């Protein structure tokens, strides 16, 4: 588990104006909701302050002078306002909910669409967990900012302003005293806020590391168990959680201290109001109801101030979320259609690598000056040690990556002049780690050609040699394969991937054989399925199996990204070079496997290849 894995970028704590504007841009399509929701909050804030004023009137005009007429009048106003108030509260909560969902939906859709366009290279350098967080928690936080965040801010500003205006109308001198106290309270709030935020941010950062660790520990559970890494992982996990505990503990301590301090200051302010209001009441400058209203307004105004730390922290987090999310949206896919690219009808034809150079990381060349021409219909076997560049060659053919220098031509045309779709939709491939999607076997085979009928799906499975094992599954073609096809063995996944490739009728077929061993029966089935495809298309097979190697039209032995040897099986055997050694070694190993431990020959009919 590396330290950099899954680390959140530091947020500099500055409100980036551009990011804020861009967030506001997200709500623009839903401006009607925003307008309705802001109006409702405005009315709610006004009515909240007005209630206090009505209470003052009840005390001063009805209770003290014992005026029943005035009491009835004020109470009826009260009743009307309560109804309006309730309707407005309902309206803004409802509108905020709808707005939040819409913004989140838009964002997720944009992100998901964009992710489908991004190139392999992006996924090489970006951990899945990081992307998942952008899609889930970040979109949620942004949606919260544009709804509840906006609500908090609007409500706070309205509350303070309206309360001050009402106070000024009741007694302007006393209102000015309150005005003078406001900056002090704000200062205290900001002081605490900064310290609390630092701790929370620390806790959050550790938390994302913990999430990353969960992710690695769950996805890699088999390896962890196999290697007996449980204790070591638990220890690393323990360190992270205790760091997290420390930061959360400090944040909790500061948060707990904050409220009593603000309350103390409030008590002082209220004391000042009672004393000075009381003195003024004696001289007739202030009514009892007026003092009561003042106390209510001050308490009222303090809510948003007490809340400022939370609002500010939430806003910062949401802005940091937005910056990360926008950075994903702004990432340009590296492999894109050129403006003049044409959609071609077919990619059948020769494939030519013309002095191709390629690297994943600039200082580590993988292919150097690689040239090769493959005739249409030919079957090429790529062999060579691990890391030689076999998968890289097929990745380039599929245009998952593009050459850094040199040209790849299909049917005589630079493949960069064709659209990605026209190339990729005509290539059938079975990858080194076959991937199935959660769903049924049938859905997985049909994945690349949705319009295929059930009969076509089954024919493809027959041809690929997958049919026989599929019908033995509990629900046959309707068996759920589990997430990533986890309910099936690697060999079975390859057979299904083969059927998927057969169904798609590819013009180029690519098979990156899994190195993990499959049982001999499955191996024979895979072999048969591959042959079906190899007969129909130009094929590249990254071969580990001797039989595949032997039957290929041409075998290319790669070493350090260059062609070491090339020719048919018999030619290479005659050369007695690298291939010869590789083959005889593998053949010996293979033959040894045919004997049981007691030395009995189990498969005496296996004869020497050449
Ligand atoms: N996505 C990637 N990012 C960075 N480097 C990579 C990436 N994929 C492969 N490489 C590097 O490029 C080189 C060639 O890798 P490639 O996957 O083509 O080898 P291979 O011949 O298919 O090996 P194997 O038999 O193990 O599948 C290796 O050194 C490998 O580490
Ligand atoms: Mg490989």
């Amino acid at each position: 588990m590396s330290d950099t894995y899954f680390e959140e970028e530091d947020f500099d704590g500055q409100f980036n104006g551009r990011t804020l504007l861009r967030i506001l841009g997200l709500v623009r399509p839903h401006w009607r909701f925003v307008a309705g929701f802001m109006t409702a909050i405005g009315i709610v804030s006004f009515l909240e302050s007005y209630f206090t004023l009505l209470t003052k009137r009840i005390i001063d005009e009805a209770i003290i002078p014992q005026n029943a007429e005035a009491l009835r009048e004020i109470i009826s106003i009260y009743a009307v306002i309560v109804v309006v108030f309730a309707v407005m509260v309902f309206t803004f909560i409802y509108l905020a909910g709808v707005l939040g969902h819409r913004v989140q939906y838009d964002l997720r859709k944009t992100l998901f669409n964009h992710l489908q366009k991004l190139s392999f290279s992006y996924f090489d350098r970006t951990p899945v967990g990081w992307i998942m967080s952008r899609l889930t928690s970040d979109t949620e936080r942004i949606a919260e900012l544009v709804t509840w965040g906006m609500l908090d801010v609007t409500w706070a500003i309205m509350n303070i302003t309206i309360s001050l205006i009402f106070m000024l109308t009741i007694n302007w001198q006393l209102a000015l005293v309150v005005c003078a106290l406001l900056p002090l309270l704000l200062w205290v709030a900001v002081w605490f806020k900064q310290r609390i935020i630092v701790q929370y941010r620390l806790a959050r950062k550790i938390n994302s590391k913990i999430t990353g660790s969960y992710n690695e520990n769950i996805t890699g559970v088999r390896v962890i168990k196999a290697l007996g890494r449980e204790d070591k992982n638990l220890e690393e996990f323990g360190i992270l959680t205790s760091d997290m505990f420390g930061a959360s503990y400090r944040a909790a301590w500061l948060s707990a201290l904050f409220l009593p301090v603000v309350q103390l200051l409030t008590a002082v302010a209220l004391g000042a109001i009672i004393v000075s209001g009381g003195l003024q009441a004696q001289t007739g400058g202030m009514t009892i109801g007026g003092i009561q209203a003042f106390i209510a307004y001050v308490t009222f105004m303090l809510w948003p101030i007490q809340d400022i730390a939370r609002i500010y922290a939430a806003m910062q987090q949401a802005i940091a979320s937005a910056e990360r999310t926008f950075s994903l949206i702004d990432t340009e896919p590296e492999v894109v259609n050129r403006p003049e690219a044409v959609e071609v009808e077919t990619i059948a034809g020769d494939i030519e690598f013309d002095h191709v150079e390629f690297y994943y990381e600039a200082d580590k060349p993988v292919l150097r000056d690689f040239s090769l021409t493959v005739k249409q219909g030919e079957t090429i076997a790529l062999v060579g040690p691990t890391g030689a560049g076999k998968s890289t060659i097929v990745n380039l053919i599929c245009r998952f990556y593009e050459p850094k220098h040199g040209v790849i031509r299909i049917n005589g045309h630079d493949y960069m002049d064709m659209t990605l779709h026209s190339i990729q939709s005509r290539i059938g491939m079975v990858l080194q780690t076959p991937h199935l999607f959660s769903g049924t076997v049938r859905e997985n085979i049909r994945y690349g050609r949705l319009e295929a009928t059930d009969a076509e799906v089954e024919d493809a499975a027959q041809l690929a040699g997958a049919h026989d094992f599929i019908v033995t599954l509990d629900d046959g073609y309707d068996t759920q394969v589990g997430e990533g096809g986890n309910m099936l063995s690697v060999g079975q996944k390859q057979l299904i991937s083969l059927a998927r490739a057969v169904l798609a009728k590819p013009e180029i077929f690519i098979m990156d054989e899994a190195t993990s061993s499959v049982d001999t029966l499955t191996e024979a089935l895979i072999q048969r399925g591959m042959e079906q495809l190899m007969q129909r298309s130009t094929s590249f097979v990254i071969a580990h199996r001797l039989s595949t190697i032997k039957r290929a039209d041409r075998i290319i032995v790669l070493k350090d990204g260059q062609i070491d040897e090339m020719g048919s099986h018999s030619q290479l055997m005659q050369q007695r070079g690298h291939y010869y050694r590789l083959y005889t070694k593998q053949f010996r190993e293979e033959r040894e496997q045919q004997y049981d431990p007691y030395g009995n020959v189990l498969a005496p009919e296996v004869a020497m290849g050449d």
Side-chain angles (χ1 to χ4, degrees):
M1 185 168 40
S2 81
D3 263 1
T4 49
Y5 182 77
F6 215 68
E7 197 155 329
E8 298 284 347
E9 295 82 348
D10 266 324
F11 180 57
D12 56 14
Q14 297 297 312
F15 276 124
N16 183 335
R18 264 219 311 267
T19 311
L20 257 179
L21 275 181
R22 215 166 148 186
I23 296 174
L24 289 179
L26 297 175
V27 296
R28 204 169 39 209
H30 314 293
W31 67 271
R32 283 194 182 80
F33 285 99
V34 181
F37 151 84
M38 293 291 217
T39 313
I41 299 172
I43 296 175
V44 165
S45 289
F46 177 82
L47 291 183
E48 269 178 335
S49 300
Y50 196 70
F51 277 139
T52 310
L53 203 67
L54 281 182
T55 317
K56 170 189 178 295
R57 283 187 56 196
I58 289 182
I59 296 171
D60 290 346
E61 294 170 28
I63 297 175
I64 295 174
Q66 297 192 332
N67 183 342
E69 182 61 30
L71 190 66
R72 264 198 298 279
E73 186 202 318
I74 298 170
I75 282 178
S76 46
I77 299 175
Y78 213 97
V80 174
I81 290 180
V82 165
V83 174
V84 179
F85 186 80
V87 172
M88 287 300 132
V89 169
F90 167 84
T91 311
F92 85 67
I93 292 178
Y94 174 74
L95 290 180
V98 177
L99 179 67
H101 280 297
R102 293 213 171 182
V103 168
Q104 202 174 353
Y105 169 80
D106 290 353
L107 253 180
R108 286 192 172 162
K109 208 166 96 177
T110 312
L111 281 172
F112 192 78
N113 259 332
H114 192 70
L115 280 171
Q116 308 257 335
K117 290 198 202 99
L118 283 175
S119 311
F120 274 48
S121 49
Y122 182 78
F123 297 97
D124 289 342
R125 54 172 197 268
T126 320
V128 181
W130 192 91
I131 299 174
M132 290 292 287
S133 300
R134 306 299 71 87
L135 273 164
T136 53
S137 53
D138 277 355
T139 52
E140 222 167 270
R141 229 174 269 138
I142 295 169
E144 265 170 31
L145 176 74
V146 299
T147 51
W148 307 116
M150 217 147 67
L151 182 142
D152 281 336
V153 173
T154 320
W155 185 72
I157 294 172
M158 293 245 187
N159 227 339
I160 295 176
T161 321
I162 298 176
S163 300
L164 268 180
I165 293 172
F166 276 107
M167 279 195 264
L168 281 168
T169 59
I170 299 172
N171 185 319
W172 65 269
Q173 293 98 330
L174 214 48
L176 289 182
V177 176
V178 175
C179 270
L181 273 171
L182 267 185
L184 178 68
L185 273 169
L186 269 174
W187 180 81
V188 171
V190 168
W191 190 91
F192 272 95
K193 169 218 80 185
Q194 276 165 346
R195 276 148 194 83
I196 294 172
I197 284 177
V198 168
Q199 296 305 326
Y200 270 132
R201 197 175 302 143
L202 190 65
R204 225 174 83 76
K205 223 166 131 174
I206 303 170
N207 190 34
S208 39
K209 274 195 198 169
I210 292 178
T211 316
S213 152
Y214 281 148
N215 197 336
E216 284 197 327
N217 277 278
I218 295 168
T219 50
V221 68
R222 289 176 185 79
V223 182
I224 292 166
K225 286 196 179 299
L227 296 179
R229 278 270 310 193
E230 292 99 325
D231 290 344
K232 180 75 187 136
N233 287 7
L234 199 62
E235 186 189 316
E236 284 175 359
F237 191 73
I239 296 172
L240 280 179
T241 39
S242 86
D243 286 351
M244 164 115 175
F245 180 77
S248 313
Y249 177 82
R250 284 186 293 276
W253 192 84
L254 281 166
S255 309
L257 195 63
F258 175 61
L259 261 192
V261 170
V262 169
Q263 275 167 353
L264 202 73
L265 283 170
T266 315
V268 172
L270 290 179
I273 288 167
I274 293 168
V275 171
S276 108
L279 288 176
Q280 288 190 40
Q282 285 171 5
T283 59
M286 186 84 173
T287 59
I288 308 273
I291 296 175
Q292 191 277 335
F294 247 87
I295 292 171
Y297 281 130
V298 170
T299 327
F300 221 54
M301 261 169 52
L302 285 174
W303 285 350
I305 291 178
Q306 284 176 14
D307 229 18
I308 221 167
R310 186 188 59 78
I311 297 174
Y312 190 82
M315 278 183 80
Q316 270 198 328
Q317 282 188 357
I319 287 178
S321 291
E323 284 186 347
R324 285 192 295 262
T325 307
F326 292 147
S327 84
L328 203 167
I329 295 176
D330 294 341
T331 307
E332 293 285 341
E334 276 163 45
V335 177
V336 286
N337 283 328
R338 284 192 180 170
E340 69 280 10
V342 286
E343 183 81 26
V344 291
E345 284 302 308
T346 173
I347 55 164
D350 296 354
I351 299 165
E352 186 190 351
F353 281 71
D354 186 358
H355 300 285
V356 169
E357 280 193 38
F358 182 77
Y359 50 81
Y360 295 97
E361 289 153 47
D363 53 339
K364 291 184 201 138
V366 178
L367 293 186
R368 270 167 299 190
D369 201 24
F370 184 86
S371 292
L372 171 73
T373 306
V374 177
K375 293 268 163 244
Q376 183 183 348
E378 226 184 337
T379 294
I380 300 287
L382 295 166
V383 295
T386 179
K390 304 179 296 290
S391 299
T392 304
I393 290 175
V394 299
N395 280 339
L396 284 170
I397 297 171
C398 298
R399 223 171 125 190
F400 293 152
Y401 301 84
E402 290 170 343
K404 302 289 176 187
H405 293 286
V407 185
I408 295 178
R409 289 187 198 91
I410 297 181
N411 203 9
H413 305 286
D414 184 346
Y415 82 161
M416 308 274 276
D417 294 334
M418 308 172 183
T419 60
L420 284 163
H421 177 258
S422 45
I423 300 171
Q424 289 167 351
S425 65
R426 293 184 176 83
I427 296 181
M429 59 202 134
V430 178
L431 296 177
Q432 200 160 5
T433 42
H435 186 87
L436 300 189
F437 298 89
S438 46
T440 63
V441 171
R442 195 190 308 279
E443 284 161 357
N444 267 288
I445 298 178
R446 197 181 266 149
Y447 202 80
R449 231 187 84 203
L450 295 174
E451 75 284 1
T453 62
D454 282 358
E456 284 176 303
V457 168
E458 286 175 32
D459 283 348
Q462 285 274 9
L463 270 177
H467 179 81
D468 291 344
F469 102 81
I470 295 172
V471 291
T472 65
L473 296 173
D474 284 349
D475 295 312
Y477 281 87
D478 297 313
T479 308
Q480 295 286 337
V481 300
E483 194 181 316
N486 276 344
M487 316 285 263
L488 302 173
S489 73
V490 176
Q492 291 172 329
K493 284 198 253 184
Q494 279 204 326
L495 283 172
I496 292 177
S497 308
L498 263 175
R500 182 195 283 163
V502 171
L503 185 68
K505 296 200 175 86
E507 290 172 343
I508 297 175
F509 168 59
I510 288 169
M511 168 103 183
D512 201 343
E513 281 185 355
T515 31
S516 61
S517 51
V518 295
D519 64 82
T520 28
L521 181 69
T522 315
E523 182 174 333
L525 285 173
I526 294 176
Q527 188 67 44
R528 272 222 315 272
M530 276 167 61
E531 272 161 25
Q532 290 293 333
L533 269 161
M534 290 183 332
Q535 277 168 19
R536 296 152 177 236
S537 11
T538 313
S539 310
F540 293 82
V541 187
I542 295 177
H544 300 282
R545 298 187 181 97
L546 301 179
S547 40
T548 317
I549 302 174
K550 272 175 67 182
R551 270 175 236 187
D553 297 311
R554 228 175 339 151
I555 298 157
I556 292 172
V557 183
L558 280 177
K559 207 177 143 211
D560 298 332
Q562 276 171 327
I563 298 177
D564 195 33
E565 285 172 24
M566 180 160 72
S568 68
H569 174 74
S570 50
Q571 285 169 342
L572 292 182
M573 288 304 280
Q574 273 162 18
Q575 278 184 23
R576 304 225 151 210
H578 222 96
Y579 178 76
Y580 172 80
R581 286 193 296 279
L582 196 79
Y583 184 82
T584 41
K585 180 171 166 278
Q586 274 199 19
F587 189 80
R588 216 174 23 245
E589 283 167 8
E590 189 134 303
R591 215 170 42 149
E592 274 159 16
Q593 284 171 11
Q594 309 289 326
Y595 289 87
D596 79 358
Y598 304 104
N600 297 320
V601 180
L602 297 177
E605 70 277 12
V606 174
M608 266 305 284
D610 274 70

